[in-house]
Amino acid sequence: MSSAPGIYPIPDINLPQVFGLVEILDDRGGREDGYKLARDLNFNLSELLKVMKAAEILQLVETPGGDLVLLPQGKQFLEADINQRKLIIRQRLREHGLFNYLVRLLATQEERSLAKEVVLEHLAMLLPNEDPEKLFNTLVNWGRFGELFGYNKDEDRFYLDQE
Amino acid sequence: MALLELKAVSKQFSRGRGRLLVLDSISTTIEQGQFIAMVGPSGCGKSTLLRIMNGLIPPSAGQVLYQGRQIDGINPECALVFQSFALLPWLSVKANVEMGLEARGVPLVERERRASIYIDKVGLDGFEEAYPRELSGGMKQRVGFARALAVEPKVLLMDEPFSALDALTAISLRGELLDMWQLPDMPVHTMVMVTHIIEEAVELADRIIVMAASPGRIVADLQIELPRPRDKRTEAFNSLTDRIFSLIEERA
């Protein structure tokens, strides 16, 4: 009844928020208390925790005991231009269990695409505690940023972006 | 010659039976390559002034000159970025970016070429066929930037471009705007940004025009010499924000 090994959900936040977090962390010398940051930015703490989680998934920061620590990869990310950043995100997403699963799933399909409904069923099966619709929207947004997935709303088609 | 020059520009709006003086005899010049921020309290007419620069709103008195010539109507060399993004919800990202070009009569092939260049420059590759409602605020404002840049304007005018975004998204977009401004192959290096956030002005601009309200007028015009990238934790940064705050405050 458990999730497939290595497949974890991603928080429903937007990537530009993650980039902002990494940037302000660097401004503050690479280490900061999450709670203090939320207070300084007047940012909802539970939202900030989700952004921290996302930054950790993307291997830009570590979060020991509620602190935020900028990783060397996070520093490199900041120094990259927008299109290099997209490549870095693409690489990290490929390594993530859930994205990796969907890439493999799409690769076996005709025209490397699936209807959204089918993807929602896979998500419900893999991560029964998550809201599949919400998760799908986040996957599409992150996947578009990394140019890994596309989604055509008119045709309801979720597909693998060109390699 | 100044790129853009305002000569004794005033603006009145009718209010009930009376008239409200929104801008009182504003004169200033904007030189090529400057990043200018206009800061001031709400009601100081800074957004109205921005639209007068663009020709979207005619002044009640005074003149707007572009490269020495008086502008009547919209100045095609200026493009605007809005706080509210102002995207058409039924159009895809790509179609939204192309829209400004279509309005200017740019042929289809050229529209597509430019849309793809600026979609790439603002990091929207992969989002071409998305609709605005599928996008976060940060991605929506990138569409706003791509649409304005695709016109290849000489002046980019921005009205509170980061104010509708959450704090973290605003931080990342400010950084990206600065990166874009410093790219040698960008078509536009002259920017005018309206903001009510003093820190934002000091972080980004190399010149800050400070305005006061009732009636709207310029009370200070400061050159910002801080080296880039600017560190907000320095004494120089903080003393500058304090100084601008008191300039605004003592006239409020």
Side-chain angles (χ1 to χ4, degrees), chain B residues 21-230:
Chain B
L21 186 60
V22 177
L23 291 170
D24 186 18
S25 193
I26 306 273
S27 295
T28 190
T29 57
I30 288 161
E31 305 293 337
Q32 175 125 18
Q34 286 186 326
F35 192 141
I36 299 172
M38 297 197 292
V39 297
S42 58
C44 73
K46 54 193 189 298
S47 292
T48 305
L49 190 60
L50 196 76
R51 283 165 174 72
I52 288 175
M53 287 178 180
N54 179 56
L56 212 55
I57 298 178
S60 310
Q63 286 182 309
V64 181
L65 305 179
Y66 179 79
Q67 291 186 326
R69 291 193 186 169
Q70 187 165 352
I71 293 294
D72 290 308
I74 302 238
N75 182 351
E77 303 293 350
C78 296
L80 255 169
V81 173
F82 302 91
Q83 177 179 1
S84 65
F85 321 127
L87 305 179
L88 297 188
W90 59 87
L91 293 182
S92 68
V93 164
K94 182 167 171 282
N96 265 289
V97 173
E98 286 179 16
M99 201 190 60
L101 297 170
E102 204 178 339
R104 288 168 196 239
V106 177
L108 177 69
V109 177
E110 176 64 8
R111 287 206 298 269
E112 293 193 328
R113 188 187 72 87
R114 284 214 227 156
S116 100
I117 292 175
Y118 292 99
I119 280 174
D120 176 72
K121 282 211 195 301
V122 304
L124 275 170
D125 285 317
F127 289 84
E128 292 89 343
E129 61 181 354
Y131 289 100
R133 67 176 174 280
E134 297 180 78
L135 304 179
S136 65
M139 300 314 282
K140 281 182 187 155
Q141 193 56 299
R142 283 170 209 256
V143 182
F145 277 113
R147 181 183 55 194
L149 292 171
V151 164
E152 302 192 340
K154 294 287 182 289
V155 187
L156 187 65
L157 304 172
M158 300 173 280
D159 190 6
E160 303 265 9
F162 310 113
S163 295
L165 306 172
D166 67 82
L168 290 174
T169 301
I171 290 168
S172 77
L173 252 67
R174 278 184 209 122
E176 286 177 21
L177 175 66
L178 265 189
D179 289 348
M180 280 197 288
W181 179 60
Q182 289 163 335
L183 281 180
D185 61 343
M186 283 307 276
V188 59
H189 296 282
T190 311
M191 306 209 184
V192 183
M193 177 184 72
V194 160
T195 180
H196 65 278
I197 304 166
I198 298 170
E199 267 208 355
E200 182 171 289
V202 177
E203 182 190 345
L204 298 178
D206 43 31
R207 180 179 157 204
I208 298 182
I209 296 175
V210 185
M211 295 181 68
S214 318
R217 61 202 187 280
I218 295 176
V219 293
D221 194 333
L222 312 168
Q223 295 295 324
I224 310 303
E225 315 272 355
L226 299 176
R228 298 175 187 276
R230 292 180 180 162

Side-chain angles (χ1 to χ4, degrees), chain A residues 14 16-17 19-21 23-24 26-29 41 43 48 51 80 82-83 85-86 140-141 144-145 147 149-154 157 159 161, chain B residues 120-127 129-131 133-139 142 166-169 171-176 179 203 230-233:
Chain A
N14 302 305
Q17 296 178 311
F19 309 155
L21 180 78
E23 209 147 309
I24 193 162
D26 185 46
D27 280 353
R28 293 181 174 214
L41 294 173
F43 208 88
L48 187 78
V51 180
I82 183 71
N83 286 305
R85 288 182 179 191
K86 288 169 88 83
V140 167
N141 263 310
R144 276 173 171 158
F145 193 92
E147 293 171 69
F149 303 135
Y151 173 58
N152 184 309
K153 209 173 164 73
D154 296 330
R157 200 168 49 91
Y159 60 92
D161 210 340
Chain B
D120 176 72
K121 282 211 195 301
V122 304
L124 275 170
D125 285 317
F127 289 84
E129 61 181 354
Y131 289 100
R133 67 176 174 280
E134 297 180 78
L135 304 179
S136 65
M139 300 314 282
R142 283 170 209 256
D166 67 82
L168 290 174
T169 301
I171 290 168
S172 77
L173 252 67
R174 278 184 209 122
E176 286 177 21
D179 289 348
E203 182 190 345
R230 292 180 180 162
D231 187 345
K232 283 179 222 152
R233 293 172 303 172

